[in-house]
mmCIF file of all heavy atoms in Angstrom:
data_model
loop_
_atom_site.group_PDB
_atom_site.id
_atom_site.type_symbol
_atom_site.label_atom_id
_atom_site.label_comp_id
_atom_site.label_asym_id
_atom_site.label_seq_id
_atom_site.Cartn_x
_atom_site.Cartn_y
_atom_site.Cartn_z
ATOM 1 N N LEU A 17 29.943 -26.536 47.737
ATOM 2 C CA LEU A 17 29.341 -26.786 46.429
ATOM 3 C C LEU A 17 30.350 -26.445 45.336
ATOM 4 O O LEU A 17 31.184 -25.561 45.507
ATOM 5 C CB LEU A 17 28.078 -25.944 46.248
ATOM 6 C CG LEU A 17 26.894 -26.276 47.161
ATOM 7 C CD1 LEU A 17 25.747 -25.303 46.917
ATOM 8 C CD2 LEU A 17 26.421 -27.711 46.944
ATOM 9 N N SER A 18 30.247 -27.150 44.216
ATOM 10 C CA SER A 18 31.172 -26.914 43.109
ATOM 11 C C SER A 18 30.482 -27.253 41.800
ATOM 12 O O SER A 18 29.565 -28.080 41.756
ATOM 13 C CB SER A 18 32.435 -27.769 43.277
ATOM 14 O OG SER A 18 33.285 -27.639 42.156
ATOM 15 N N ILE A 19 30.940 -26.615 40.727
ATOM 16 C CA ILE A 19 30.424 -26.940 39.394
ATOM 17 C C ILE A 19 31.252 -28.074 38.787
ATOM 18 O O ILE A 19 31.030 -28.480 37.662
ATOM 19 C CB ILE A 19 30.416 -25.682 38.487
ATOM 20 C CG1 ILE A 19 29.689 -24.533 39.188
ATOM 21 C CG2 ILE A 19 29.724 -25.938 37.175
ATOM 22 C CD1 ILE A 19 29.646 -23.255 38.395
ATOM 23 N N GLY A 20 32.217 -28.593 39.535
ATOM 24 C CA GLY A 20 32.952 -29.775 39.112
ATOM 25 C C GLY A 20 34.376 -29.550 38.682
ATOM 26 O O GLY A 20 34.932 -30.374 37.946
ATOM 27 N N ILE A 21 35.020 -28.459 39.148
ATOM 28 C CA ILE A 21 36.390 -28.191 38.700
ATOM 29 C C ILE A 21 37.426 -28.353 39.816
ATOM 30 O O ILE A 21 38.617 -28.202 39.565
ATOM 31 C CB ILE A 21 36.512 -26.771 38.095
ATOM 32 C CG1 ILE A 21 36.346 -25.708 39.209
ATOM 33 C CG2 ILE A 21 35.536 -26.562 36.976
ATOM 34 C CD1 ILE A 21 36.823 -24.342 38.800
ATOM 35 N N THR A 22 36.998 -28.639 41.041
ATOM 36 C CA THR A 22 37.921 -28.655 42.187
ATOM 37 C C THR A 22 39.105 -29.593 41.964
ATOM 38 O O THR A 22 40.260 -29.201 42.144
ATOM 39 C CB THR A 22 37.182 -29.070 43.469
ATOM 40 O OG1 THR A 22 35.960 -28.351 43.571
ATOM 41 C CG2 THR A 22 38.028 -28.775 44.693
ATOM 42 N N ALA A 23 38.827 -30.822 41.570
ATOM 43 C CA ALA A 23 39.894 -31.803 41.389
ATOM 44 C C ALA A 23 40.785 -31.475 40.197
ATOM 45 O O ALA A 23 41.915 -31.963 40.102
ATOM 46 C CB ALA A 23 39.298 -33.192 41.220
ATOM 47 N N GLN A 24 40.292 -30.648 39.257
ATOM 48 C CA GLN A 24 41.054 -30.321 38.046
ATOM 49 C C GLN A 24 41.919 -29.078 38.206
ATOM 50 O O GLN A 24 42.649 -28.704 37.282
ATOM 51 C CB GLN A 24 40.080 -30.113 36.877
ATOM 52 C CG GLN A 24 39.177 -31.299 36.609
ATOM 53 C CD GLN A 24 37.993 -30.931 35.735
ATOM 54 O OE1 GLN A 24 37.952 -29.866 35.137
ATOM 55 N NE2 GLN A 24 37.010 -31.823 35.684
ATOM 56 N N LEU A 25 41.861 -28.423 39.353
ATOM 57 C CA LEU A 25 42.658 -27.212 39.564
ATOM 58 C C LEU A 25 44.146 -27.537 39.585
ATOM 59 O O LEU A 25 44.551 -28.636 39.965
ATOM 60 C CB LEU A 25 42.260 -26.544 40.889
ATOM 61 C CG LEU A 25 40.866 -25.917 40.978
ATOM 62 C CD1 LEU A 25 40.574 -25.472 42.410
ATOM 63 C CD2 LEU A 25 40.733 -24.731 40.029
ATOM 64 N N SER A 26 44.942 -26.554 39.202
ATOM 65 C CA SER A 26 46.395 -26.713 39.270
ATOM 66 C C SER A 26 46.842 -26.728 40.729
ATOM 67 O O SER A 26 46.050 -26.440 41.638
ATOM 68 C CB SER A 26 47.076 -25.561 38.534
ATOM 69 O OG SER A 26 46.783 -24.329 39.181
ATOM 70 N N GLU A 27 48.107 -27.064 40.954
ATOM 71 C CA GLU A 27 48.619 -27.105 42.322
ATOM 72 C C GLU A 27 48.515 -25.743 42.995
ATOM 73 O O GLU A 27 48.109 -25.642 44.163
ATOM 74 C CB GLU A 27 50.075 -27.594 42.327
ATOM 75 C CG GLU A 27 50.218 -29.069 41.997
ATOM 76 C CD GLU A 27 51.615 -29.582 42.265
ATOM 77 O OE1 GLU A 27 52.508 -28.762 42.605
ATOM 78 O OE2 GLU A 27 51.820 -30.804 42.171
ATOM 79 N N MET A 28 48.856 -24.679 42.281
ATOM 80 C CA MET A 28 48.742 -23.338 42.846
ATOM 81 C C MET A 28 47.275 -22.958 43.048
ATOM 82 O O MET A 28 46.928 -22.277 44.020
ATOM 83 C CB MET A 28 49.436 -22.318 41.941
ATOM 84 C CG MET A 28 50.956 -22.381 41.982
ATOM 85 S SD MET A 28 51.620 -22.208 43.669
ATOM 86 C CE MET A 28 51.053 -20.568 44.097
ATOM 87 N N GLY A 29 46.421 -23.420 42.138
ATOM 88 C CA GLY A 29 44.984 -23.159 42.286
ATOM 89 C C GLY A 29 44.422 -23.816 43.534
ATOM 90 O O GLY A 29 43.634 -23.217 44.274
ATOM 91 N N LYS A 30 44.846 -25.065 43.799
ATOM 92 C CA LYS A 30 44.405 -25.761 45.016
ATOM 93 C C LYS A 30 44.896 -25.032 46.266
ATOM 94 O O LYS A 30 44.163 -24.910 47.253
ATOM 95 C CB LYS A 30 44.924 -27.200 45.020
ATOM 96 C CG LYS A 30 44.255 -28.113 44.006
ATOM 97 C CD LYS A 30 44.876 -29.495 44.030
ATOM 98 C CE LYS A 30 44.253 -30.399 42.978
ATOM 99 N NZ LYS A 30 44.896 -31.735 42.938
ATOM 100 N N PHE A 31 46.139 -24.535 46.190
ATOM 101 C CA PHE A 31 46.698 -23.839 47.349
ATOM 102 C C PHE A 31 45.929 -22.542 47.624
ATOM 103 O O PHE A 31 45.698 -22.181 48.785
ATOM 104 C CB PHE A 31 48.179 -23.533 47.109
ATOM 105 C CG PHE A 31 48.880 -22.999 48.326
ATOM 106 C CD1 PHE A 31 49.142 -23.817 49.409
ATOM 107 C CD2 PHE A 31 49.260 -21.666 48.399
ATOM 108 C CE1 PHE A 31 49.771 -23.327 50.545
ATOM 109 C CE2 PHE A 31 49.893 -21.162 49.524
ATOM 110 C CZ PHE A 31 50.155 -21.996 50.604
ATOM 111 N N VAL A 32 45.512 -21.848 46.564
ATOM 112 C CA VAL A 32 44.703 -20.628 46.717
ATOM 113 C C VAL A 32 43.379 -20.966 47.413
ATOM 114 O O VAL A 32 42.947 -20.271 48.344
ATOM 115 C CB VAL A 32 44.435 -19.967 45.350
ATOM 116 C CG1 VAL A 32 43.382 -18.870 45.475
ATOM 117 C CG2 VAL A 32 45.722 -19.382 44.785
ATOM 118 N N ILE A 33 42.734 -22.051 46.982
ATOM 119 C CA ILE A 33 41.461 -22.469 47.594
ATOM 120 C C ILE A 33 41.666 -22.859 49.049
ATOM 121 O O ILE A 33 40.822 -22.564 49.915
ATOM 122 C CB ILE A 33 40.837 -23.641 46.800
ATOM 123 C CG1 ILE A 33 40.426 -23.195 45.400
ATOM 124 C CG2 ILE A 33 39.619 -24.206 47.532
ATOM 125 C CD1 ILE A 33 39.357 -22.121 45.373
ATOM 126 N N ILE A 34 42.796 -23.498 49.364
ATOM 127 C CA ILE A 34 43.112 -23.861 50.754
ATOM 128 C C ILE A 34 43.163 -22.601 51.615
ATOM 129 O O ILE A 34 42.574 -22.558 52.712
ATOM 130 C CB ILE A 34 44.456 -24.621 50.834
ATOM 131 C CG1 ILE A 34 44.306 -26.037 50.265
ATOM 132 C CG2 ILE A 34 44.957 -24.699 52.279
ATOM 133 C CD1 ILE A 34 45.616 -26.769 50.081
ATOM 134 N N LEU A 35 43.865 -21.583 51.144
ATOM 135 C CA LEU A 35 43.965 -20.318 51.888
ATOM 136 C C LEU A 35 42.599 -19.668 52.069
ATOM 137 O O LEU A 35 42.269 -19.170 53.150
ATOM 138 C CB LEU A 35 44.911 -19.357 51.167
ATOM 139 C CG LEU A 35 46.413 -19.665 51.249
ATOM 140 C CD1 LEU A 35 47.202 -18.655 50.420
ATOM 141 C CD2 LEU A 35 46.895 -19.626 52.700
ATOM 142 N N ILE A 36 41.802 -19.671 51.003
ATOM 143 C CA ILE A 36 40.474 -19.042 51.078
ATOM 144 C C ILE A 36 39.580 -19.790 52.064
ATOM 145 O O ILE A 36 38.842 -19.170 52.845
ATOM 146 C CB ILE A 36 39.822 -18.971 49.683
ATOM 147 C CG1 ILE A 36 40.633 -18.067 48.759
ATOM 148 C CG2 ILE A 36 38.391 -18.441 49.781
ATOM 149 C CD1 ILE A 36 40.142 -18.055 47.323
ATOM 150 N N MET A 37 39.640 -21.130 52.043
ATOM 151 C CA MET A 37 38.841 -21.921 52.988
ATOM 152 C C MET A 37 39.221 -21.583 54.426
ATOM 153 O O MET A 37 38.351 -21.414 55.290
ATOM 154 C CB MET A 37 39.029 -23.418 52.735
ATOM 155 C CG MET A 37 38.334 -23.962 51.516
ATOM 156 S SD MET A 37 38.305 -25.777 51.436
ATOM 157 C CE MET A 37 40.049 -26.165 51.228
ATOM 158 N N PHE A 38 40.528 -21.509 54.670
ATOM 159 C CA PHE A 38 41.003 -21.231 56.032
ATOM 160 C C PHE A 38 40.602 -19.829 56.474
ATOM 161 O O PHE A 38 40.098 -19.637 57.594
ATOM 162 C CB PHE A 38 42.518 -21.400 56.096
ATOM 163 C CG PHE A 38 43.079 -21.273 57.480
ATOM 164 C CD1 PHE A 38 42.899 -22.273 58.410
ATOM 165 C CD2 PHE A 38 43.768 -20.133 57.863
ATOM 166 C CE1 PHE A 38 43.401 -22.158 59.695
ATOM 167 C CE2 PHE A 38 44.275 -20.011 59.144
ATOM 168 C CZ PHE A 38 44.095 -21.024 60.058
ATOM 169 N N ILE A 39 40.810 -18.841 55.612
ATOM 170 C CA ILE A 39 40.442 -17.460 55.944
ATOM 171 C C ILE A 39 38.938 -17.350 56.150
ATOM 172 O O ILE A 39 38.470 -16.666 57.065
ATOM 173 C CB ILE A 39 40.913 -16.484 54.837
ATOM 174 C CG1 ILE A 39 42.438 -16.415 54.809
ATOM 175 C CG2 ILE A 39 40.328 -15.085 55.068
ATOM 176 C CD1 ILE A 39 42.994 -15.650 53.630
ATOM 177 N N GLY A 40 38.165 -18.056 55.320
ATOM 178 C CA GLY A 40 36.716 -18.018 55.453
ATOM 179 C C GLY A 40 36.239 -18.601 56.768
ATOM 180 O O GLY A 40 35.259 -18.118 57.347
ATOM 181 N N ARG A 41 36.939 -19.615 57.253
ATOM 182 C CA ARG A 41 36.516 -20.252 58.519
ATOM 183 C C ARG A 41 36.854 -19.392 59.727
ATOM 184 O O ARG A 41 36.049 -19.250 60.641
ATOM 185 C CB ARG A 41 37.184 -21.629 58.656
ATOM 186 C CG ARG A 41 36.794 -22.386 59.929
ATOM 187 C CD ARG A 41 35.334 -22.762 59.905
ATOM 188 N NE ARG A 41 34.924 -23.506 61.082
ATOM 189 C CZ ARG A 41 34.327 -22.995 62.141
ATOM 190 N NH1 ARG A 41 34.080 -21.693 62.194
ATOM 191 N NH2 ARG A 41 33.963 -23.770 63.149
ATOM 192 N N VAL A 42 38.060 -18.814 59.757
ATOM 193 C CA VAL A 42 38.456 -18.035 60.935
ATOM 194 C C VAL A 42 38.114 -16.552 60.784
ATOM 195 O O VAL A 42 38.156 -15.814 61.767
ATOM 196 C CB VAL A 42 39.957 -18.193 61.239
ATOM 197 C CG1 VAL A 42 40.315 -19.648 61.463
ATOM 198 C CG2 VAL A 42 40.821 -17.624 60.122
#
């Protein structure tokens, strides 16, 4: 779920979310 900012994140912001998604899954 998102309030609508995912696509607007900076490159470093997207990379942070990638890490969090991966850590959250494993």
Side-chain angles (χ1 to χ4, degrees):
L17 294 177
S18 175
I19 308 179
I21 69 164
T22 313
Q24 303 164 13
L25 292 172
S26 64
E27 289 191 354
M28 287 305 298
K30 289 177 182 177
F31 188 71
V32 169
I33 294 297
I34 288 170
L35 286 177
I36 296 174
M37 286 192 294
F38 186 73
I39 293 171
R41 181 66 179 98
V42 302

